[in-house]
Amino acid sequence: MIKKFFTIITVLLFALMVLPLLRQIAPFEELAPVAAAYAEQGPDQLGAANLVTSVIVTYRGLDTLGEVTVLFIATAGVGFLLRRDEEDQLPGDGVPRETPREASELLGSGSMLLFPLLMLFGVYIFLHGHLTPGGGFQGGVVIASAMLLLMLARVSFHLNHLIISLVESLSGFFYVAIGVLGLILAAGFLDNRILPLGEFGTLLSAGAIPIIYSLVGLKVGTELTNVLGTMRLTRTQQEEDV
Amino acid sequence: MNPQNELPVLIILFAPLIAAILSLIGKFLPPRYSITPAFLVWLGGSLWALYAAAPAILYGQSLTYSLGGWAEPYGISLSVNGLTWIATLTDIVIASAAWLATRGYRRFGALFYFFFFMALFSLQGVLCSRDIFNLFVWFEVLSLSSIILISYDRSLSSRLAAIRYLLISSLSIIFFLIGVWILYRLTGSLALTEIAQRLQSLNSAVVPRAFIGTLPVARVHSAAGLALALITAGILTRAAIPPFHTWLPDAHTAAPYPVSALLSGFVIKAPMIALWRIFELIEFPQLMEGLVWLGGVTAVWGVAAAMVQKDAKKLLGYHSVSQMGYILAAFGIGGVIGRSAALFYIIAHALFKSLLFLTIGHVTTRVGTRNVYKIRGLRRFFPFYTVAFLIAAASISGLPLLAGFTGKVLVSKALHSHPAYLMLIAAGVGTAASFVKLSAIFFGTASDEHLLTLESRPTEDRGSKTAAGEAHFGLLVISAGCIAMGVVPRLIHHYILLLLHGRAALPPSIEIGWYSSGTLLKAGVSIGGGLLLALFLLSPFGKNLAHRARAMSVGLNGSLRLMVAGLLLLLFLSLL
């Protein structure tokens, strides 16, 4: 009772303090100067039809590199922390586990049909990141969801961690390498104008943005797949892996 | 834009990333061909870049690199100024000593060094970034990589500590992000310089109503004040300032000791530097006044918790909290002397706290227990580590001719007329007491049980003989630093001022009176008081009291509540 009372008091206090926000923050009536400059100059400077992408990949490219790094470290961390050693004893150990049941006919056939479509869709999203809504992160998540479907549908499905890690590391490496190329060939780190900007609105345009976003897509896709794979592994399978 | 100015910035930032990638290659190569070169590349690159950046900084310029050639506010700008320069140098010294110590600790895999250098990479980002959203990204990389380093021993306790840190730092970064959002809505920009300019015009529209003492102060636009309070709460969590500090003692205890040295030595200081970089552009007097008081509270809170600890590393962890109080108070009081005192203390604390963690971590690992009341007589087995420990312990307790003493003199010079200073004096007595208690593990006679564990293990470090030598070298360098800061404080303080302000704008020199009778008397009284307090702590009654105090520790729920309370307090301060 007293706890609830305190909670209510705290919430009320918060509400009181953020009141000025309601009074002082009016809805935007026009674009902020920075946003207006992006909208005006972005297409000419970078040649990407999707303005959001040009902000994410180029103007604020370091943030994106940082976010990709966050994801990479998080994946490695999940892999590292969920790996279990011989001496680790957790509640529920020693209880014989149920052997996983085969997926139903419906899920099995459905996954066969959906998997290629999902993969294709994921690749489409990141390849067209500079033209249409979406991009590397979104495409990567779609790819990982396709892999999740496969894992759910087939008990015997075995993820090849070596290939996954290799793709992950290489795409990260090339991302940084393209950044450095920008330093040498264009105005600075992660500048997309190391390649010709091409014709506005076509697939091969906007300089290095499609390449960067494809690498991000591959990286995000493999990373999330890796996380899913690690969580799925049973103890015996881990021992086989090691 | 000239490459001469840009290259050092890029190298300072990216040298750790290159080292991280190189150490990852170590998965396929023996460590001699990957991990050592990675370290050397990082060390050489960073030192060269600092050397190249020094002349410009001494003339009061800051080196700026705009990413992809997009100047602020359209792109992200990274800049190295005097503050970053000094902080980077401190970081390099601490991280090198920690790196050297890892080799004597145990055989870490390539992955460990990858995360180690990623943590250094994100630290550099935090130090260099001049964009508030970019700062958020670096904080995220930093917290994730430190979480993995903390749990690297993969014991249950270290995993729990890591999860707790993860939850608390996620909550804090939400505070930070809400603040960033409000600032963006108000100013339409994420670049700090641009935000500062716009806020100034917003503030000038507000009638000055607030008073500090009797001085009228320009009132800060209230939504902007809320935003800055939220951002400050986020950053203070990373700097382990009570009531946002609850993650630190567990995390720094559970981490492998070289990691603890890096975490306590530098990782909690970097957020302070970020805070500094924000508030050197944006004026916010009410909040600064609050930070002085918070600094006093921090110092006392940390030391009170430290005095009752039984676990040697946890004791050191709470002292890190307490020492951050000195830094925060000096930072909050501001001005030339306050800011330089904060930076001087950051360096001093980085040196002696990492030295403490490296020595205590080493000996307790070898003995196999961290119980302060049980271990005795280690002096005989670790003569080198005993001397290094005593230098560090005497520094933190404020013994003359060492870094802690001169740091405290400078802080007291900045704060002498402020009532919160009394709390710092009290904390000084407690610190001395706590370290007398901790020093006891090196003296007396060792119990048979510990003799057995020590004798059953190889005589020196578990690594090879060279690894032990490398670790000793690191300790030697840090000890020398502690002594230098105590013996020639005037010179070091002069260089700090020179790097912060540049040669042209160097403020007129202030007489500090490093070794006047007043400062020596103060140190004598605080150490004397500490000795008496230590006798009480080691008496059966004191032990009993400590035992009961330890039982009052805060759980995860409690720490989240504390954080919310702290946030409310800061928000209230900003609206005052």
Side-chain angles (χ1 to χ4, degrees), chain B residues 376-424:
Chain B
R376 286 292 176 268
L378 293 182
R379 183 178 40 132
R380 246 182 63 210
F381 304 94
F382 308 98
F384 186 86
Y385 281 87
T386 309
V387 174
F389 168 79
L390 286 178
I391 289 175
S395 291
I396 196 174
S397 316
L399 221 65
L401 293 179
L402 288 166
F405 173 79
T406 46
K408 283 186 172 106
V409 169
L410 208 50
V411 170
S412 73
K413 183 82 184 169
L415 278 161
H416 61 95
S417 55
H418 197 283
Y421 179 55
L422 290 175
M423 287 196 265
L424 294 186

Side-chain angles (χ1 to χ4, degrees), chain B residues 42 65 112 133 144 146 175 217 223 242 261 280 319 326 341 347 356 360 415-416 477 562 575:
Chain B
W42 164 74
Y65 175 73
F112 174 84
F133 188 80
L144 277 173
S146 24
F175 296 162
V217 177
E280 78 184 344
H319 275 296
Y326 289 82
I347 303 169
L356 282 169
I360 289 289
L415 278 161
H416 61 95
V477 169
L562 274 177
L575 293 177

Side-chain angles (χ1 to χ4, degrees), chain B residues 70-93:
Chain B
W70 311 111
E72 275 170 329
Y74 307 113
I76 296 167
S77 278
L78 303 157
S79 88
V80 174
N81 57 13
L83 182 62
T84 312
W85 198 94
I86 297 172
T88 306
L89 187 62
T90 316
D91 174 35
I92 290 173
V93 173

Side-chain angles (χ1 to χ4, degrees), chain A residues 24 26 38 60 63 83 189, chain B residues 65 74 131 134 154 185:
Chain A
Q24 291 175 348
Y38 284 151
R60 302 193 62 88
D63 285 346
R83 206 176 69 216
F189 190 74
Chain B
Y65 175 73
Y74 307 113
D131 183 287
N134 195 233
R154 305 186 59 223
R185 282 302 312 264

Side-chain angles (χ1 to χ4, degrees), chain A residues 3 7 9-11 13-14 16-21 23-29 32-35 37-38 41 45-46 55 57-67 69-85 88-90 162 165-166 169 172-173 176 183 187-193, chain B residues 6-7 10 13-14 17 21 24 27-28 65-70 73-76 78 111 114-115 118 121 131-138 140-141 144-145 147-148 151-154 156 159 162-163 175 178 181-182 184-191 194 198 221-224 226-227 561 564 567-569 571-572 575:
Chain A
K3 238 183 211 171
T7 315
I9 296 261
T10 315
V11 171
L13 275 176
F14 258 120
L16 217 78
M17 285 177 183
V18 296
L19 218 56
L21 291 184
R23 281 193 287 117
Q24 291 175 348
I25 294 191
F28 274 136
E29 273 158 12
V34 177
Y38 284 151
Q41 297 159 12
Q45 280 176 342
L46 305 179
V55 174
V57 179
T58 307
Y59 290 118
R60 302 193 62 88
L62 193 61
D63 285 346
T64 309
L65 180 65
E67 291 296 352
T69 316
V70 167
L71 205 56
F72 181 58
I73 293 179
T75 314
V78 167
F80 176 76
L81 287 179
L82 288 189
R83 206 176 69 216
R84 291 173 56 187
D85 290 339
D88 286 6
Q89 282 291 326
L90 292 181
L162 186 70
S165 308
L166 206 64
S169 307
F173 176 76
V176 177
L183 204 59
F189 190 74
L190 280 176
D191 194 333
N192 70 323
R193 292 166 297 184
Chain B
E6 289 178 349
L7 197 61
L10 277 173
L13 182 66
F14 285 106
L17 179 66
I21 293 171
L24 207 54
K27 269 187 171 174
F28 313 104
Y65 175 73
S66 297
L67 194 87
W70 311 111
Y74 307 113
I76 296 167
L78 303 157
L111 210 54
F114 170 74
F115 290 123
M118 281 322 265
F121 176 46
D131 183 287
I132 199 146
F133 188 80
N134 195 233
L135 206 54
F136 150 76
V137 174
W138 292 120
E140 278 303 271
V141 180
L144 277 173
S145 43
I147 281 164
I148 295 174
S151 55
Y152 216 84
D153 277 345
R154 305 186 59 223
L156 192 60
R159 284 188 221 190
I163 292 283
F175 296 162
I178 296 173
W181 171 75
I182 297 174
Y184 181 71
R185 282 302 312 264
L186 282 174
T187 64
S189 177
L190 293 168
E194 188 92 351
R198 298 264 164 81
H221 187 267
S222 57
L226 282 180
R561 281 198 197 110
V564 169
L567 178 67
L568 275 174
L569 191 77
L571 291 180
F572 178 71
L575 293 177

Side-chain angles (χ1 to χ4, degrees), chain B residues 53 62 69 133 155 162 177 252 264 290 301 341 362 382-383 416 435 470-471 475:
Chain B
S62 61
F133 188 80
S155 62
L177 271 182
H252 289 196
S264 259
W301 189 329
H362 177 81
F382 308 98
H416 61 95
F435 277 91
E470 284 168 7
L475 297 182

